[in-house]
Amino acid sequence: MKNLELKELGVQEMNTAEMTKVNGGGLGDISISLNLEPVLKFLAGVLTDTGSLLTKTLGSLFQLLQGGL
């Protein structure tokens, strides 16, 4: 739609400062409300579990190879 058509529909333009003051608008709200602790805990758990699985799998594989040779 053209700018004139939007004005006829009652749409108003907003600058960045105005957008941050509106509920749910602007990038400033994202940095404040973003909590990385649950994400980091989840990733740490996944990496721990993956490392444990890899260690057990490689240990079993090496035991199998040593016993077979």
Side-chain angles (χ1 to χ4, degrees):
M1 287 186 160
K2 294 182 182 178
N3 196 13
L4 183 59
E5 292 173 348
L6 291 174
K7 286 183 180 178
E8 289 176 3
L9 294 173
V11 176
Q12 297 178 356
E13 292 183 29
M14 297 173 65
N15 62 25
T16 306
E18 291 173 323
M19 288 175 59
T20 58
K21 294 177 184 176
V22 176
N23 290 339
L27 294 176
D29 295 340
I30 293 173
S31 63
I32 292 171
S33 65
L34 186 61
N35 186 3
L36 293 178
E37 186 178 352
V39 175
L40 294 176
K41 284 184 178 181
F42 171 75
L43 290 177
V46 169
L47 289 175
T48 301
D49 291 345
T50 304
S52 176
L53 177 66
L54 187 61
T55 301
K56 289 179 182 180
T57 304
L58 289 177
S60 298
L61 182 63
F62 288 140
Q63 284 180 355
L64 181 66
L65 290 176
Q66 286 179 350
L69 295 177

